[in-house]
Amino acid sequence: QVQVVESGGGLVQPGDSLRLSCAASGSIFGIYAMGWYRQAPGKQRELVAFITSGGSTNYADSVKGRFTISRDNAENTVYLHMNSLKPEDTAVYYCNGKGRPCGYDNNCWGQGTQVTVSS
């Protein structure tokens, strides 16, 4: 099955930028989308952005115009470029893959990377 590993989280100030990376490995053929979710304490996990195998993207309303999802196919890596960060962006960010190679529920999940936006 596919394995995904996130990196790039950290502590930043409001207005700063940060780039998250998600590296996928394993039998990734058949994955039709990769994306990012986030979860803050006491809240359910929510979709941030995703990109399909064809290059189409989608964003949560709360991050439109600030975040950009991209991919590097040669490295099997998906990025989330986060600009103009706000305290409400603070959460654990999870990389997600969708498709049959991910297993019984067609979802691959990373372990998460913490993003904290605070002055």
Side-chain angles (χ1 to χ4, degrees):
Q1 294 187 358
V2 174
Q3 304 288 328
V4 295
V5 179
E6 309 97 330
S7 62
L11 173 63
V12 297
Q13 295 183 341
D16 282 355
S17 298
L18 200 62
R19 187 186 74 170
L20 306 183
S21 300
C22 174
S25 62
S27 301
I28 63 174
F29 182 80
I31 299 294
Y32 65 85
M34 297 286 292
W36 292 91
Y37 289 71
R38 67 186 182 187
Q39 187 168 27
K43 300 183 65 176
Q44 66 182 22
R45 189 172 299 185
E46 64 176 350
L47 175 67
V48 178
F50 72 81
I51 184 167
T52 70
S53 60
S56 298
T57 59
N58 192 57
Y59 298 90
D61 288 341
S62 59
V63 306
K64 286 181 179 178
R66 299 189 297 120
F67 291 10
T68 302
I69 188 169
S70 62
R71 65 185 183 186
D72 183 340
N73 289 334
E75 300 295 331
N76 295 322
T77 301
V78 176
Y79 302 97
L80 185 67
H81 300 262
M82 304 183 293
N83 298 315
S84 302
L85 283 162
K86 305 175 180 180
E88 49 263 45
D89 295 318
T90 296
V92 177
Y93 284 71
Y94 297 91
C95 184
N96 170 259
K98 300 184 186 297
R100 185 169 54 189
C102 291
Y104 76 99
D105 65 350
N106 292 326
N107 281 282
C108 303
W109 293 101
Q111 297 302 306
T113 185
Q114 177 71 47
V115 173
T116 302
V117 185
S118 177
S119 60

